[in-house]
Amino acid sequence: MAACATATRGLQQLLVLSALGFLATSAPQPPNIVLLLMDDMGWGDLGVYGEPSRETPNLDKMALEGMLFPNFYSANPLCSPSRAALLTGRLPIRNGFYTSNGHARNAYTPQEIMGGIPNSEHLLPELLKKAGYTNKIVGKWHLGHRPQFHPLKHGFDEWFGSPNCHFGPYDNKVKPNIPVYRDWEMVGRFYEEFPINLRTGEANLTQLYLQEALDFIKTQHARQSPFFLYWAIDATHAPVYASRPFLGTSHRGRYGDAVREIDDSVGKILSLLQNLGISKNTFVFFTSDNGAALISAPKEGGSNGPFLCGKQTTFEGGMREPAIAWWPGHIAAGQVSHQLGSIMDLFTTSLSVAGLKPPSDRIIDGLDLLPTLLQGHMMDRPIFYYRGNTLMAVTLGQYKAHFWTWTNSWEEFRQGTPGDPDSGTHFDWKGIDFCPGQNVSGVTTHTQEEHTELPLIFHLGRDPGERFPLSFASAEYQDTLSRITQVVQQHQKSLIPGQPQLNVCNQAVMSQSCCLKKVLGLHIPRFWKA
């Protein structure tokens, strides 16, 4: 059986390599790779996913010309851990992008966090360099803001963007505004050299990010160099913004304006690839880092379609994402794949596109989706839903089992502090509600409810909104529980958590230097002054 399985995998690899043209006598230039990662964009924000305004013609066309994934997931319901998972192919619990400060606590990389992507992790751009790729990140990095975490120290050759989101504005006394970089040089700050008008929503950032992408593609094409473009823009993260030509053009308000500008930008990127004659040699994938932030809705947040809750939760609305693959001449047009996909798969799939293998010295959670993209193959795999250091849920096939349920605390929910905890921005509504208008008794709880003995199990095909758990006494429940239990046990046996990078300390009782040592167990670097 083992020999047969090995032979089958070998045949699949040969078929994929043949489809890519890598078996020719004279090897062609490796395909270019373009990953388009949105920020807080929901599953239901695109026309092709049923958004009624139908204001995303370019993305809808991209889906018609490629492959649409209805069942594609983030690795975490928050920005930083999701991005770390994409670039390492590993769950945040493995690569260190989580916190152990509290059970099931979300965490990211604000200015108060000293951690970042560990040097021990192998990032996608580092590995692509081995195949001669030139790598550029445009937009939001979010994997640490201290010098040792700079993207140019982790495989990227160029960067235009910020280590964080466009939080602010700050008073520049206690806390400065977030910097914007071109490579190693800080070229300004949000709300200063790069203005964002919170009253009108006007900002020219998406146009700047678009031009960076177009110029990079043109330059690498002229050099005949294979390239990796990681276009990680943040216009749909509250406070949402758009440039003047798009403001007021959407039926959906300011958030829709931002989506329309993104759609227009994606159209221009794909058109350039076609006009340069390199679309057939460029793999493009569009997705989002986590679900829409319903705490910012309706004015500043998107739609998660029929799914429950949103960003910061491990319900479907927090982690199921829009996803489109586009590669003319390789991916047949007009396909819909029900393969369970993960943002971590983009790491492994991109390496496969480049003719590279993933690192063999560690567990890689991302799958190679090329057999799915090129031959329509389906692969069995689980989806693990982590929140901080806690495995909250698992999906296997059509079934999802919740071991813990929680939205946010009663204290947060009742205190009525306005704003998005991930942005530091204040809006004109009250309350912190991750699931507005979606209360499901016993499911969307404000206390951490444990279900490890008898998980809540939903059939996502029949019940995508996670409203009707299976009866504990049913044969369907018992069979599903048995299969999922085996998957979880196998996962836990192989799990070695990474050093947590997103812990925070109480600055009122500890000096910054002591805090840094306690959180990361590191020596104080020379550039840090306590």
Side-chain angles (χ1 to χ4, degrees), residues 77-345:
L78 208 59
C79 307
S80 294
S82 172
R83 292 158 192 267
L86 186 161
L87 290 175
T88 64
R90 286 154 55 81
L91 286 164
I93 193 70
R94 297 194 207 274
N95 64 36
F97 260 64
Y98 70 99
T99 177
S100 58
N101 282 155
H103 182 264
R105 182 183 179 277
N106 286 324
Y108 69 112
T109 54
Q111 290 169 289
E112 294 79 12
I113 289 288
M114 300 300 159
I117 193 68
N119 285 332
S120 58
E121 291 296 322
H122 297 317
L123 271 63
L124 177 59
E126 297 175 48
L127 300 173
L128 289 176
K129 271 184 175 292
K130 298 178 180 180
Y133 280 75
T134 302
N135 309 311
K136 178 161 187 166
I137 171 175
V138 176
K140 178 175 170 179
W141 170 236
H142 228 207
L143 300 191
H145 55 84
R146 296 181 64 74
Q148 69 266 39
F149 306 127
H150 193 289
L152 268 61
K153 283 196 172 184
H154 292 274
F156 285 103
D157 300 291
E158 300 179 24
W159 180 29
F160 179 76
S162 175
N164 221 316
C165 195
H166 55 282
F167 309 151
Y170 301 119
D171 60 12
N172 276 334
K173 295 177 182 177
V174 177
K175 182 185 291 186
N177 282 316
I178 303 295
V180 176
Y181 284 85
R182 179 173 297 284
D183 301 334
W184 289 103
E185 180 184 0
M186 191 185 82
V187 293
R189 296 180 184 274
F190 290 132
Y191 302 96
E192 297 176 25
E193 292 83 0
F194 298 91
I196 302 170
N197 188 319
L198 294 183
R199 184 180 61 82
T200 65
E202 182 178 350
N204 206 42
L205 290 168
T206 300
Q207 291 304 306
L208 294 176
Y209 294 149
L210 170 62
Q211 196 58 51
E212 289 289 326
L214 300 179
D215 290 346
F216 177 72
I217 292 170
K218 292 174 186 176
T219 299
Q220 301 314 312
H221 173 62
R223 293 179 54 209
Q224 294 298 298
S225 170
F227 62 83
F228 167 45
L229 172 62
Y230 177 44
W231 199 63
I233 67 172
D234 67 354
T236 44
H237 187 298
V240 299
Y241 60 78
S243 62
R244 186 171 299 176
F246 292 90
L247 285 176
T249 65
S250 171
H251 291 283
R252 303 180 62 194
R254 191 178 296 177
Y255 181 88
D257 296 341
V259 172
R260 290 200 67 212
E261 185 167 16
I262 288 171
D263 177 78
D264 181 78
S265 299
V266 171
K268 286 182 168 66
I269 291 172
L270 299 185
S271 293
L272 177 62
L273 295 173
Q274 292 170 322
N275 294 337
L276 292 176
I278 58 174
S279 60
K280 292 185 178 180
N281 199 43
T282 305
F283 170 69
V284 184
F285 202 98
F286 176 95
T287 190
S288 179
D289 62 348
N290 48 248
L294 300 186
I295 53 174
S296 306
K299 294 182 178 181
E300 302 271 354
S303 167
N304 294 314
F307 303 117
L308 185 62
C309 300
K311 175 181 179 176
Q312 303 219 37
T313 78
T314 48
F315 300 110
E316 290 297 284
M319 290 183 58
R320 199 186 294 212
E321 312 304 331
I324 304 169
W326 186 87
W327 194 2
H330 298 276
I331 299 173
Q335 295 188 84
V336 176
S337 174
H338 292 280
Q339 170 68 46
L340 289 182
S342 166
I343 201 168
M344 297 178 291
D345 300 343

Side-chain angles (χ1 to χ4, degrees), residues 43 70-71 73 304-309 314-318 320 385 395 398 400 402 438 440 443 458-468:
W43 188 95
N71 306 316
Y73 290 87
N304 294 314
F307 303 117
L308 185 62
C309 300
T314 48
F315 300 110
E316 290 297 284
R320 199 186 294 212
Y385 303 69
T395 285
Q398 295 265 49
K400 180 177 181 181
H402 287 271
Q438 292 185 305
V440 179
V443 178
F458 299 88
H459 187 287
L460 295 177
R462 300 191 301 258
D463 179 24
E466 299 171 275
R467 288 168 171 80
F468 308 104

Side-chain angles (χ1 to χ4, degrees), residues 22 55 69 103 171 189 205 219 222 235 246 253 290 296 326 365-366 432 436 441 451 487 503 506 525:
F22 284 177
E55 293 179 343
F69 287 85
H103 182 264
D171 60 12
R189 296 180 184 274
L205 290 168
T219 299
F246 292 90
N290 48 248
S296 306
W326 186 87
D365 297 292
I432 298 177
S441 179
H451 310 282
V487 168
N503 283 351
N506 186 341

Side-chain angles (χ1 to χ4, degrees), residues 388-411:
N389 59 359
T390 304
L391 179 61
M392 303 288 286
V394 175
T395 285
L396 188 64
Q398 295 265 49
Y399 294 95
K400 180 177 181 181
H402 287 271
F403 305 110
W404 291 86
T405 54
W406 187 39
T407 57
N408 60 336
S409 68
W410 278 116
E411 182 182 10

Side-chain angles (χ1 to χ4, degrees), residues 399 455-459 462 468-474 476-477 480:
Y399 294 95
L456 299 179
I457 298 179
F458 299 88
H459 187 287
R462 300 191 301 258
F468 308 104
L470 301 182
S471 168
F472 296 145
S474 68
E476 182 181 19
Y477 179 92
T480 302

